[in-house]
Amino acid sequence: MPVRHVLFPGRHHLVTRFQTDYLRDLLAGRLTDTAGEPVRCDDDARVVWAVTSATHSGTRRNPVPAHRREAMIERVGAAEGTEPLVVPVADVPPSDRFARTVLGSVEVCLGLTLTPADTVVACSTPAVAALWAALGFRVAPVEDGHPDAPARPWDVLELAVAGDDRWRDLAHPAALAYYERYGLADVVRTAYLDPTVGAEGDLTATRDYRSYTADFDDASDRKWAQVGPHVQPGRVVDLGCAAGGLLERAARDPRLAESDLYGIDVSRHLVAEAEHRKAQGVFANPNVFFAQRNLLTGPVFPDATVSTTTTIALTHEISSYGRGRDDLELLARRIFAHTAPGGVWVNSDVLGPEGGDRTVHLHLDGEPGDARDLGALPGDDVAPYVEALSPAGRLAQFARDFPALSGGACDVRWAATTTRDDGGVTSVAELSLRAAMEFLYTRDYVRSWLSECHERFCDMTWPDWSALLHDVGFELAPASTAWRNDWLVTHRLSVGARLVDPVTGDGVPWPDTHVLTVARRPA
């Protein structure tokens, strides 16, 4: 039976000249399958382009959104005088059922049931080709069957990232024109070279996004009560917006009814959740927009166009996953540039203690024990293991994990272990005040322990923030301040723990834990 359809699955971030030449020869009956048998196609045979990972974009693995990939394929088809059939296929984990997933997507999208009798699969990846062969489909090997090993689309994209103009000759002319029209080479280059975001479009692969989003949402009312009074109407940008919890509150504020609200985050997962919430009608203001961007890799908004920028619990992540204070200065300069004269940047985050190099004794309940290599545990076992540790045991584990994952210091000397009158045990750790606060900020995040151990909370003190903001040109409003969250001290930091001066034996007052800066660009 002659072939009626050529199924061409792939991510299709670029279409090359070789691919269109190959498909033209395949449809004309001039090529063979992997078994060496000629492929005979009907005169009206069509190519079905299955665009895989269609629900995944903005990452090194999938830098170009699916709608751009689909449109590019249509433009290439028009230039070739063909009528491609384009089918989006959702991003799925690697699976032996991948071929069935593609077939199901084609059937739902086009109403076509592709069978081995009427379809040949064009596929250049041997492992994937084996999945199709297992279902009885004949496979045309595309690049894999060519003796000169032509550049595959991803090879061509890597040339573009490297600034090698040979990619322009290898890309199909219509695809090249489409890339240039929408600046897609820069999109690919930004995703590929982003120093802080991983291949999957996130800061870390160990974050539990369900608990992270829930924690952020729970705090949004409190955070909006703190920053909301300082927000100026106009273009309002929430950097590090997570799933949009703060903007949900902003959208209900009558003062901002005529404002445009923008949520920007580097995390693909969080932006997708924010878009999902928007589709469900969560935001009272219709002018709410979300985008996956990284301000450190380039400006997001034109200069002097933003009335208010908010950053909530973001700056410590930028410092942790980037280049420390250098990236915080870059962030501040980018925000200053896009802030309109008279506009503000409102920042709220945790804060490092002044005099952080001071040596203290941290008294903790329990005994330290031996730290373990948590990387050797199954992922689901990490949280129960950490949760079962005593406060002293968690510090011992933190002293192993935090330096390895964050690059920060946590040098601990266990000074004493004593039995209390109530029969309990207290261990005394000697360490710097900064290391003590890093641990106490982190120790309760057992559900995302390894992710939190990537982060340094104490890189910046209040004098550091004041100096940085003034250096880039901001003026600090009177509301700017360092402050101590006494609820946090009572319910988290001091539970089973206290700070003591190692010389006098007196208790050390809890330092300021948070900072609020309202930085205004002079009019």
Side-chain angles (χ1 to χ4, degrees):
M1 178 179 179
V3 170
R4 297 180 57 195
H5 297 101
V6 174
L7 177 60
F8 192 17
R11 288 179 291 161
H12 299 309
H13 288 281
L14 186 67
V15 180
T16 65
R17 291 176 185 266
F18 172 82
Q19 287 177 321
T20 54
D21 290 345
Y22 184 90
L23 292 173
R24 189 185 310 116
D25 287 344
L26 188 65
L27 291 171
R30 292 192 286 267
L31 298 176
T32 62
D33 61 19
T34 53
E37 296 295 325
V39 176
R40 305 300 182 194
C41 295
D42 276 346
D43 291 340
D44 59 352
R46 304 279 291 277
V47 178
V48 179
W49 296 67
V51 179
T52 60
S53 295
T55 54
H56 184 280
S57 64
T59 69
R60 292 177 202 166
R61 181 164 66 92
N62 287 300
V64 181
H67 70 279
R68 294 289 189 217
R69 290 181 259 164
E70 293 183 37
M72 175 185 60
I73 292 166
E74 294 285 359
R75 294 297 299 171
V76 169
E80 289 290 311
T82 62
E83 294 182 345
L85 297 171
V86 186
V87 175
V89 180
D91 189 56
V92 294
S95 167
D96 290 341
R97 294 183 57 83
F98 173 72
R100 295 187 184 276
T101 299
V102 174
L103 291 175
S105 299
V106 172
E107 188 163 8
V108 169
C109 185
L110 300 179
L112 286 177
T113 300
L114 304 182
T115 70
D118 63 11
T119 302
V120 65
V121 178
C123 178
S124 63
T125 304
V128 178
L131 300 179
W132 292 105
L135 296 181
F137 284 87
R138 300 167 63 193
V139 175
V142 202
E143 293 94 349
D144 192 50
H146 197 276
D148 296 329
R152 300 167 188 252
W154 195 254
D155 300 327
V156 179
L157 286 180
E158 289 191 333
L159 291 175
V161 168
D164 189 330
D165 279 344
R166 285 180 296 167
W167 82 275
R168 298 176 179 276
D169 295 326
L170 295 168
H172 189 278
L176 177 62
Y178 188 80
Y179 255 64
E180 291 178 338
R181 186 192 319 168
Y182 289 103
L184 294 183
D186 288 337
V187 171
V188 174
R189 190 175 295 111
T190 297
Y192 196 90
L193 298 179
D194 191 328
T196 60
V197 180
E200 295 301 305
D202 297 291
L203 292 173
T204 171
T206 55
R207 173 170 285 166
D208 179 346
Y209 280 96
R210 286 179 297 180
S211 61
Y212 180 85
T213 299
D215 290 343
F216 200 97
D217 285 346
D218 288 344
S220 289
D221 284 333
R222 174 171 51 83
K223 291 298 185 183
W224 182 248
Q226 181 188 45
V227 306
H230 308 293
V231 172
Q232 297 185 3
R235 175 177 281 176
V236 178
V237 177
D238 184 23
L239 289 180
C241 66
L246 195 73
L247 287 185
E248 184 180 343
R249 278 73 180 171
R252 297 198 294 257
D253 192 321
R255 296 182 305 118
L256 305 179
E258 300 300 321
S259 295
D260 292 336
L261 310 178
Y262 291 83
I264 308 296
D265 206 288
V266 300
S267 169
R268 175 180 60 87
H269 292 283
L270 295 175
V271 172
E273 177 59 23
E275 290 282 12
H276 177 62
R277 291 182 176 187
K278 180 180 176 181
Q280 291 178 311
V282 166
F283 301 95
N285 185 331
N287 294 320
V288 178
F289 311 96
F290 294 98
Q292 184 188 0
R293 297 286 190 277
N294 185 350
L295 192 64
L296 297 180
T297 61
V300 176
F301 297 94
D303 287 354
T305 61
V306 175
S307 303
T308 301
T309 302
T310 60
T311 51
I312 308 299
L314 172 71
T315 53
H316 77 272
E317 291 192 345
I318 288 174
S319 181
S320 299
Y321 290 98
R323 300 172 301 152
R325 298 188 189 191
D326 288 344
D327 273 352
L328 288 180
E329 181 177 349
L330 175 58
L331 174 75
R333 294 191 183 281
R334 288 262 164 83
I335 292 177
F336 183 86
H338 78 210
T339 302
V344 296
W345 171 22
V346 185
N347 176 47
S348 174
D349 208 343
V350 291
L351 188 69
E354 293 187 46
D357 292 334
R358 170 187 180 181
T359 298
V360 297
H361 278 175
L362 178 59
H363 290 228
L364 295 168
D365 289 350
E367 298 184 63
D370 296 324
R372 294 186 59 179
D373 177 9
L374 298 187
L377 292 178
D380 292 342
D381 291 347
V382 172
Y385 172 76
V386 176
E387 189 166 21
L389 295 174
S390 68
R394 285 193 199 175
L395 175 57
Q397 189 64 49
F398 181 82
R400 172 176 181 146
D401 297 332
F402 177 70
L405 295 173
S406 76
C410 186
D411 297 323
V412 177
R413 183 181 75 84
W414 294 99
T417 299
T418 60
T419 301
R420 303 189 302 267
D421 292 341
D422 63 3
V425 174
T426 296
S427 296
V428 179
E430 186 172 279
L431 71 175
S432 71
L433 177 59
R434 181 182 299 106
M437 296 307 296
E438 290 281 14
F439 164 66
L440 293 171
Y441 284 145
T442 302
R443 67 167 177 167
D444 292 320
Y445 291 103
V446 297
R447 288 178 296 178
S448 52
W449 176 264
L450 293 176
S451 175
E452 295 299 330
C453 283
H454 273 278
E455 300 184 12
R456 301 185 304 273
F457 293 104
C458 298
D459 280 1
M460 296 288 283
T461 65
W462 169 246
D464 293 332
W465 272 117
S466 180
L468 173 62
L469 293 169
H470 280 111
D471 286 348
V472 301
F474 281 111
E475 298 174 347
L476 284 176
S480 302
T481 185
W483 60 287
R484 187 175 70 191
N485 185 328
D486 288 328
W487 183 95
L488 182 68
V489 170
T490 300
H491 294 89
R492 295 285 184 88
L493 304 185
S494 65
V495 176
R498 63 190 181 100
L499 293 172
V500 174
D501 186 295
V503 177
T504 67
D506 296 333
V508 174
W510 292 100
D512 290 329
T513 59
H514 287 75
V515 64
L516 173 68
T517 55
V518 182
R520 188 179 309 279
R521 178 170 177 169

